[in-house]
Amino acid sequence: MRYFSGLIFFAIMAYLGWPYFHLYQLNDAVANNDKAALEKLIDFEAVQEVYQEDLKWRTEQMASSTRLLPDTIREGAEAIVGSLGNLASKTVTIDTDWVLNQLRNRDGSLWEQLSFAFFESHTRFTIRLGKLGRNPVHIQMTLQDWNWRVGAIYD
């Protein structure tokens, strides 16, 4: 029984440390500009999808904030905001260069900027780089095929 409980304890501790190991790999890939390692650690399709959804939400919020304007000006502003949001979501391609740019805009390495990292659920891990209220970058990692991969980057 003692052996079995030790084995269970070791398995739980390994599972809890697993995403931190992948965060360490992400830190090394960003620090060394290793694009091949980044491609293994990031689900670019998921990041692109989340980025477009976030941009769409931001443009809707910006358009809804024009309700205080007269109708003709408001309609024009909503059209401009909508077209700019669509243009921005179609012109930004999420690739290793974009990810490196997002993660390098910090003072120091990822480990130095790490202010929060823990599980949201058993297959989702949240990372915050920077302090709250000072434009932190949030990274969502999900467990995919027995590997933790970045599925979203929020700035």
Side-chain angles (χ1 to χ4, degrees), residues 35-99:
K35 293 182 179 182
L38 278 176
E39 289 178 2
K40 293 178 184 175
L41 295 169
I42 298 172
D43 183 1
F44 290 104
E45 292 175 8
V47 173
Q48 178 81 36
E49 182 179 322
V50 168
Y51 180 78
Q52 287 178 346
E53 288 174 3
D54 187 43
L55 196 57
K56 181 181 176 186
W57 180 82
R58 287 182 187 192
T59 55
E60 288 173 358
Q61 293 300 316
M62 195 179 297
S64 68
S65 67
T66 62
R67 301 244 185 260
L68 299 175
L69 298 173
D71 289 340
T72 56
I73 296 174
R74 180 173 41 102
E75 291 170 1
E78 288 175 355
I80 290 171
V81 167
S83 64
L84 287 177
N86 289 336
L87 179 65
S89 68
K90 291 176 183 167
T91 57
V92 174
T93 55
I94 307 298
D95 58 0
T96 54
D97 294 326
W98 184 87
V99 170

Side-chain angles (χ1 to χ4, degrees), residues 33 66 79 106 141 146:
N33 199 20
T66 62
R106 310 275 105 205
M141 293 174 64
W146 297 97

Side-chain angles (χ1 to χ4, degrees), residues 27 107-115:
N27 179 50
D107 296 329
S109 70
L110 297 181
W111 280 115
E112 293 169 355
Q113 292 299 309
L114 185 68
S115 60

Side-chain angles (χ1 to χ4, degrees), residues 16-17 19-21 23-24 110-111 113-120 124-130 137-141:
L16 291 176
Y20 291 99
F21 174 70
L23 178 59
Y24 176 77
L110 297 181
W111 280 115
Q113 292 299 309
L114 185 68
S115 60
F116 178 82
F118 204 70
F119 291 88
E120 245 181 45
R124 195 172 179 97
F125 191 78
T126 301
I127 302 161
R128 183 178 64 225
L129 304 174
V137 172
H138 291 87
I139 301 171
Q140 293 285 326
M141 293 174 64

